[in-house]
Amino acid sequence: MARTRTRTRTRTRTRTRTRGQRHRLASVGLHLALAVAAVIAVFPPLWLLVTSFKPKNDAFTTSLVTHFSLDNYRHVLTDTSFLTWFGNSVVVVGLTTALGVFTAATTGYAVSRFRFPGMRPLMWLLLLTQMFPVAVLIVPLYNLLAALGLLNQPLGLVLTYLTIAVPFCAWMMKGFFDTIPVEIDEAGRVDGLNPFGTFWRLVLPLARPGLAVTGFYTFVTAWAEVAYASAFMTGEENLTLAGGLQTFVNQYTNDWGSMTAAAVLIAVPAALVFAFAQRHLVSGLTAGTSKG
């Protein structure tokens, strides 16, 4: 009996040590994988930043900054139409974000709270619009904007960006409004508020995390989009930042230093918006996906 107990204890200790070694090896492997993934993710923007401070002749060198220079930034800000492009982008992105958030919020609230004929086909239609590649839609949208006289107009670009952002954001806002108790709406109606008053005064303030996610997604969609901006806006005075970047590197010019400097400048507003909205992003995304 004693020998049997000793053997059992020995086997148990051996199994415990083996499991502990496996856990440690798994932990080390996981951390190594995460470290490699982090390096891969950080390397491109870091190299872009380093290249922007190099002289134009050193743009393709693999060394770090040996001759620190701000000439690329000076050239972009003073000798190009970058500030005009920036102003155009601010107008387009501002309108897209404001209209996109309002439209997605009202649509999501209506589908979450009301039952009306055609509601389910409407939601499926919003989902199906996300399945078409941008390249397929450029030609029909171009013809439509041309017929309406909206080519080279900020409003035309805003409308095209709304077709990208609103369907996804409406689905997300519906999921978020589903997490808000219906009793709040009932209390608003008891107090004499109409449906829009209930939405605007009572429900919308509770939806700030979802609105933050919607606003950030709409902002990034309009700020970083290239295909529509290049197809529907021509002439340097009408370009946005995404379209203006292509003037630095094309079949006629090859100014990589200016392009990297402009790309860094373009990334700064996006980083600021993310820093402002990040405290709401996690809670908004989590709440928006908790219910279908």
Side-chain angles (χ1 to χ4, degrees):
M1 292 293 294
R3 291 181 180 179
T4 303
R5 292 176 182 177
T6 303
R7 291 176 182 175
T8 303
R9 292 174 183 174
T10 303
R11 292 175 182 175
T12 303
R13 292 174 183 173
T14 303
R15 291 175 182 175
T16 302
R17 291 175 183 174
T18 303
R19 290 175 183 175
Q21 291 175 355
R22 290 177 181 175
H23 287 313
R24 284 193 293 271
L25 290 175
S27 178
V28 171
L30 177 61
H31 283 81
L32 286 176
L34 291 175
V36 172
V39 171
I40 294 174
V42 171
F43 179 77
L46 180 61
W47 192 254
L48 187 76
L49 179 64
V50 170
T51 305
S52 68
F53 292 112
K54 293 181 179 180
K56 293 183 179 181
N57 296 332
D58 297 339
F60 289 100
T61 60
T62 58
S63 61
L64 296 178
V65 181
T66 56
H67 302 286
F68 185 87
S69 175
L70 294 176
D71 290 341
N72 292 326
Y73 291 93
R74 190 178 300 109
H75 172 70
V76 168
L77 294 174
T78 59
D79 299 332
T80 69
S81 301
F82 181 86
L83 295 179
T84 301
W85 305 335
F86 185 86
N88 295 338
S89 291
V90 169
V91 172
V92 170
V93 173
L95 289 174
T96 302
T97 303
L99 293 175
V101 170
F102 180 78
T103 305
T106 52
T107 303
Y109 178 76
V111 176
S112 174
R113 290 297 195 265
F114 304 106
R115 298 294 178 265
F116 52 87
M119 182 192 73
R120 189 173 295 274
L122 172 63
M123 296 304 296
W124 279 110
L125 180 63
L126 293 177
L127 183 62
L128 288 175
T129 57
Q130 301 294 294
M131 300 182 181
F132 291 95
V134 172
V136 175
L137 300 176
I138 287 180
V139 173
L141 285 175
Y142 184 92
N143 294 332
L144 180 62
L145 293 179
L148 297 175
L150 294 177
L151 289 177
N152 284 330
Q153 298 293 329
L155 181 59
L157 204 55
V158 169
L159 293 177
T160 57
Y161 288 159
L162 290 177
T163 63
I164 302 175
V166 169
F168 172 77
C169 292
W171 265 95
M172 184 173 59
M173 290 304 299
K174 175 193 178 300
F176 189 86
F177 285 127
D178 286 344
T179 65
I180 298 178
V182 182
E183 288 76 10
I184 295 178
D185 303 62
E186 296 173 353
R189 286 193 291 270
V190 170
D191 291 340
L193 294 175
N194 57 29
F196 183 80
T198 302
F199 163 75
W200 187 260
R201 295 186 179 183
L202 301 181
V203 179
L204 200 61
L206 300 176
R208 288 179 182 176
L211 294 176
V213 177
T214 299
F216 181 74
Y217 177 82
T218 307
F219 171 86
V220 171
T221 298
W223 190 259
E225 201 280 328
V226 177
Y228 289 156
S230 302
F232 304 149
M233 309 294 282
T234 57
E236 287 200 1
E237 70 280 1
N238 296 319
L239 293 178
T240 58
L241 289 171
L245 273 181
Q246 300 184 48
T247 62
F248 296 118
V249 178
N250 52 47
Q251 58 181 335
Y252 303 109
T253 59
N254 194 14
D255 191 354
W256 290 99
S258 297
M259 193 193 73
T260 55
V264 172
L265 293 174
I266 292 173
V268 170
L272 294 177
V273 171
F274 175 78
F276 177 76
Q278 65 174 342
R279 63 193 182 101
H280 296 299
L281 291 180
V282 175
S283 58
L285 287 171
T286 303
T289 56
S290 60
K291 286 188 179 182

